[in-house]
Amino acid sequence: MVAGSVIPLGPLLPAAPQAQAAPLTAPRTAPQAAPAAADGKKVLTVAVDQSIDSLSPFLAQTLVATSIFRLTNEFLTNYDPKDAHTIPGFATKWASSADKLTWTFTIRSDSKWSDGKPATAEDAAWTFNKMMTDPNAATANGNFTSNFKKVTAPDATKLVIELKKPQATMTALDVPIVPKHVWEKVDDFSKFNNDKKFPIVGNGPYVIEDFKVDQYIRLKPNKDFWRGAPKFDELVFRYYKDKDAAVAALQKGEVSFVSGLTPAQAAALGNADNIKVNNAPGRRFFALATNPGAKAKDGKSFGNGHKALLDQNVRKALFHAVDRKTIVEKVFQGNAVEGQGYIPPRFDSYFWEPSGSQTIDYDPAKAATLLDKAGYKKNSGGKRVGKDGKPLNFRILCHATDPNDKAVGKYLQEWWGELGIGLKVECLDNVSDPWLAGNYDLAFDGWSVNPDPDFVLSIHTCAALPATAEDTGATDNFICDKKFDDLYAKQAVEYDTAKRTDLVKQMQSRLYDTGYMNVMAYPNAVEAYRTDQIKSITTMPEAAGNLWGQDGYWSWWSAVPADGTGEASSDSGSSTGTIIGIGAAAVVVVALGIFFAIRRRSTAEDRE
C-alpha cells in the first residue's frame, strides 16, 4: 500500500527481564460524551505513537501516514473487510488480455475530488506515469509500477495499463491515486511533503484539513464520497509519545481509541466502564534484523555495521540464543504466537515454518559451537574475542516508545551475555536516521501484512537498495541475495495461486536460511475504544479482526457515534462487507490469496 516504509525498529525497557508496564489505575468513570468541538461536532480521536514522515503519498512509508492515505485517496481496488478478497475501489471492474500483458480498468464515474472537480482515469494514468518517469515519485510504491510499459486513459472512465511481462499484483495495486490538476504543479517530488496548504485535495471518505508535526492531524468527512460520508464530524489522530499517557487519555474520555496495548494496560482497561478491549490475531511480525553490510546499488558500502555479522555462523549463533517461547510468555504474556516464517499464521495460505534440521531453535550450546567455529572464542574473563583480541560487542536499535523492544532487549543482554557477547540497547525516538545510514548492528523490526505479498517481499531485493549512499531506497535492512531475487522475479509473474504460494514459501525459507532476520513473535492486535463514544465499528476480518491498520478505510469510515446520530451499517461489520459487494461487477481475473505487504516501523507499528 502506500506503503509502505520508513525505517526503524524497536525499543527496550524494563530492568527486569519480564516486561512490566507501570501499574495503571483504571478508575470507573461516569459515562462521557464523545469529544466535541466548540460547535458541538462529534469527534473521533485516535491516539497514535508514531510520527508522520510525509503527507506525500509518493514518499510516505510509516504506518500512520499510509493508513491516512487509505482514508483520503482511492486505490484502484480495495479489500472486503469480511475476508479481504479484492473488491472495486476507484475502478468498478477490470479485465486482462489473454497474454496478461494489457489490463483495462473501468473507472467509476461517481467519484470526484474534494475541490469539486471530477476524479477520472486521467488522474490514475498521471499518477502511474509520474511514478514511472520520476524516481522520486516512486520512492514509496515504485515496486508496483517498475514493470509497467505504458499507461493511458483513452477516456474519463477507461484506464489501460500495458506491462513488460505478466504481473501478479494487478488487482492489488496499493497506490493512492492523486489529482493531476494539483500534483502536476509540483517541481521536486523528493522535497515536497504536501504539508503546507490545507485542506488537501483527495477523493476518499476523509479530507485532511489540518496538521501539526508530532501533535495531531485532523480530517473531515468527504460529503461527496461515493460510498457515503463517515458518520463522525471529525477524525483526529493525536500523537502521544508515551503509551501510558494515551491510555490515561482514553480513560478520561479525551481520546476514543488506543492501539498497541501492553498486557498490563489491556488488563486495566478491561475492568473499566465504557471501554471495550479488542484482542485479535495480529497481522504483524516482531523480529530481529541484522545489518548485512549496508550498501548501495552502485556497489559502495556505507554505515558502521559490525563486520562479525557478515558471517552467517555468527548471525545464526545469535538467533540460537533467542528463546522465542519466553518472549511470547513473558514479554507478550501470551498475547502473541511464537515466530517462525515471515508471514503471520493469520494468513494461513502463505504461513511457512521450518522443519527438522533447518529450524533455528533455542540452543545456547549450539550457539556457542557456532561462535567457536567462526573464530570468536571465550577468553579467561568469559568474553568472546576475535582473532584481533577485541571483545565481541553489538548494538541494537530500539524504539524508545515501544516497551516490547525494551523488554526483549533486556532478555537479549542476558542470553547473549551468557555466551560472552556484549549488547548495548540504543532506544531512540527516531530510529530512521541511523537505520537509513546503516549505522547499526541489529535492530528490532516489524511490518504489517496485507492481502498481497509483493511489497513486503520486494523490500528484501537488490532492486530496493538505495541508488547511492546519499539516497533513500525502499530496502528494509539492505539484504541483497541473488537466490531470493530469482524467486521474487518468478512469483511476481505467477498467476497460478498454488504455484505462487509455493514460491512465496520458498522465499521465506531462503530468508530464514540466510540468517539476516529472526522472526521472534506474531503479536496480537490489542486495542481499546470507548463504547460511550463509538456505538459500532467494523473489524477486519469480520471474525476476530483488528481495527487499527486495516487494509482499507473500514474502521473509521464505518464508526457510528454512540448517541446514534449516524446509522450503523452493522454492529459487527458484516453488513459493511455486504454493502461493498452490492453492484460490484468485478471481473476477478486473478484470485490472489490473502498475503502481506504493509510496511513501516518507528514503533512496533511504525512500518506499515
Side-chain angles (χ1 to χ4, degrees):
M1 111 160 239
V2 177
S5 233
V6 172
I7 299 189
L9 317 140
L12 15 115
L13 171 95
Q18 179 168 345
Q20 296 287 340
L24 291 175
T25 56
R28 294 184 177 272
T29 57
Q32 302 196 24
D39 56 4
K41 291 181 179 179
K42 294 297 181 180
V43 181
L44 195 166
T45 305
V46 178
V48 297
D49 59 3
Q50 178 191 77
S51 298
I52 292 175
D53 54 329
S54 176
L55 287 181
S56 165
F58 297 100
L59 300 177
Q61 295 175 308
T62 59
L63 181 59
V64 173
T66 55
S67 294
I68 289 173
F69 292 138
R70 287 188 178 275
L71 298 170
T72 61
N73 294 72
E74 285 266 69
F75 298 1
L76 288 183
T77 59
N78 208 327
Y79 304 101
D80 192 308
K82 186 175 182 178
D83 59 9
H85 74 269
T86 302
I87 61 172
F90 192 41
T92 59
K93 59 183 179 180
W94 45 89
S96 74
S97 59
D99 61 6
K100 301 294 192 297
L101 293 177
T102 300
W103 286 75
T104 302
F105 293 84
T106 299
I107 302 302
R108 64 177 58 257
S109 59
D110 56 351
S111 178
K112 58 180 169 179
W113 298 109
S114 53
D115 62 2
K117 296 183 182 297
T120 71
E122 185 178 4
D123 295 300
W126 187 90
T127 300
F128 292 130
N129 276 305
K130 189 63 182 179
M131 294 171 63
M132 293 162 60
T133 57
D134 185 341
N136 293 317
T139 299
N141 300 298
N143 62 296
F144 291 115
T145 59
S146 61
N147 181 47
F148 285 12
K149 179 180 179 181
K150 183 180 181 181
V151 181
T152 57
D155 58 53
T157 60
K158 187 176 182 180
L159 177 73
V160 180
I161 301 177
E162 297 178 37
L163 306 174
K164 301 172 185 175
K165 56 185 177 182
Q167 181 169 323
T169 62
M170 293 306 291
T171 59
L173 298 173
D174 290 346
V175 177
I177 304 302
V178 303
K180 174 185 175 182
H181 66 280
V182 174
W183 284 84
E184 65 182 352
K185 300 173 185 176
V186 177
D187 294 325
D188 188 345
F189 275 66
S190 69
K191 298 178 180 178
F192 184 70
N193 283 313
N194 198 31
D195 57 0
K196 303 301 180 185
K197 184 178 180 180
F198 299 95
I200 296 176
V201 180
N203 66 337
Y206 283 96
V207 177
I208 299 173
E209 63 175 1
D210 193 16
F211 170 63
K212 292 290 183 295
V213 178
D214 287 346
Q215 293 185 45
Y216 66 84
I217 183 166
R218 179 176 290 112
L219 299 88
K220 63 182 179 181
N222 179 358
K223 299 298 184 182
D224 295 322
F225 182 54
W226 66 271
R227 202 187 290 278
K231 306 299 189 300
F232 275 86
D233 298 311
E234 284 187 0
L235 172 61
V236 178
F237 292 86
R238 184 174 297 166
Y239 177 79
Y240 287 87
K241 181 177 178 180
D242 180 77
K243 185 56 66 73
D244 282 342
V247 170
L250 181 74
Q251 293 171 319
K252 295 174 184 177
E254 295 172 353
V255 301
S256 314
F257 174 89
V258 177
S259 64
L261 300 173
T262 65
Q265 290 168 338
L269 293 174
N271 295 320
D273 286 337
N274 306 310
I275 292 178
K276 177 179 176 58
V277 174
N278 184 45
N279 191 336
R283 55 192 295 247
R284 293 186 65 82
F285 62 78
F286 178 68
L288 279 178
T290 64
N291 184 341
K295 60 182 176 297
K297 290 179 183 176
D298 62 10
K300 294 183 179 180
S301 298
F302 57 92
N304 58 16
H306 202 299
K307 301 300 182 184
L309 292 173
L310 299 179
D311 189 327
Q312 187 177 29
N313 285 323
V314 174
R315 298 194 299 271
K316 287 196 172 183
L318 295 179
F319 295 164
H320 271 299
V322 174
D323 188 347
R324 295 189 298 273
K325 182 177 181 180
T326 292
I327 289 173
V328 169
E329 292 180 352
K330 300 299 184 180
V331 176
F332 292 99
Q333 296 184 28
N335 294 302
V337 175
E338 188 175 330
Q340 299 289 344
Y342 200 56
I343 303 173
R346 169 168 162 176
F347 306 97
D348 57 351
S349 295
Y350 294 94
F351 178 64
W352 171 89
E353 52 188 336
S355 60
S357 60
Q358 183 183 20
T359 303
I360 304 176
D361 52 4
Y362 180 56
D363 189 341
K366 189 169 185 177
T369 299
L370 287 170
L371 288 171
D372 287 340
K373 182 179 179 181
Y376 296 94
K377 298 185 177 182
K378 282 188 176 181
N379 61 16
S380 58
K383 286 286 299 179
R384 293 278 172 180
V385 296
K387 295 178 180 179
D388 57 3
K390 293 181 179 180
L392 194 58
N393 296 315
F394 296 119
R395 305 157 296 165
I396 185 168
L397 278 175
C398 129
H399 301 88
T401 57
D402 193 332
N404 295 323
D405 284 10
K406 296 177 180 179
V408 175
K410 289 292 183 181
Y411 276 111
L412 295 180
Q413 286 178 320
E414 175 186 329
W415 294 329
W416 294 353
E418 292 174 354
L419 285 175
I421 297 173
L423 178 66
K424 180 181 180 181
V425 182
E426 300 179 334
C427 293
L428 307 172
D429 290 332
N430 174 15
V431 297
S432 295
D433 289 347
W435 192 308
L436 288 170
N439 293 330
Y440 67 98
D441 299 330
L442 301 108
F444 289 106
D445 199 0
W447 287 78
S448 292
V449 170
N450 74 341
D452 189 88
D454 190 78
F455 180 83
V456 174
L457 299 176
S458 73
I459 60 177
H460 294 306
T461 61
C462 300
L465 295 175
T468 70
E470 289 70 38
D471 294 309
T472 298
T475 184
D476 180 33
N477 63 315
F478 305 102
I479 293 175
C480 179
D481 176 73
K482 186 180 184 304
K483 289 186 178 180
F484 185 88
D485 274 21
D486 290 344
L487 290 168
Y488 174 78
K490 290 179 181 178
Q491 70 80 33
V493 301
E494 182 56 69
Y495 283 90
D496 183 279
T497 302
K499 292 180 180 178
R500 190 180 187 214
T501 297
D502 180 64
L503 287 167
V504 168
K505 289 184 176 181
Q506 288 183 52
M507 293 178 74
Q508 294 182 77
S509 178
R510 178 61 183 173
L511 195 61
Y512 187 91
D513 287 343
T514 56
Y516 291 123
M517 293 187 67
N518 179 23
V519 176
M520 297 180 287
Y522 310 112
N524 287 3
V526 186
E527 49 200 11
Y529 65 90
R530 291 199 67 93
T531 56
D532 55 357
Q533 295 180 15
I534 301 175
K535 177 182 179 181
S536 63
I537 190 167
T538 298
T539 58
M540 184 178 185
E542 179 183 272
N546 57 287
L547 295 169
W548 173 245
Q550 294 181 354
D551 297 307
Y553 41 65
W554 313 116
S555 53
W556 314 127
W557 171 76
S558 70
V560 176
D563 65 359
T565 56
E567 252 182 70
S569 56
S570 164
D571 284 342
S572 66
S574 58
S575 70
T576 299
T578 303
I579 291 172
I580 320 180
I582 296 176
V587 180
V588 183
V589 180
V590 185
L592 297 179
I594 306 280
F595 204 115
F596 61 58
I598 298 190
R599 59 278 197 185
R600 302 341 168 195
R601 87 186 156 207
S602 234
T603 65
E605 285 293 293
D606 224 19
R607 290 245 182 156
E608 189 191 339

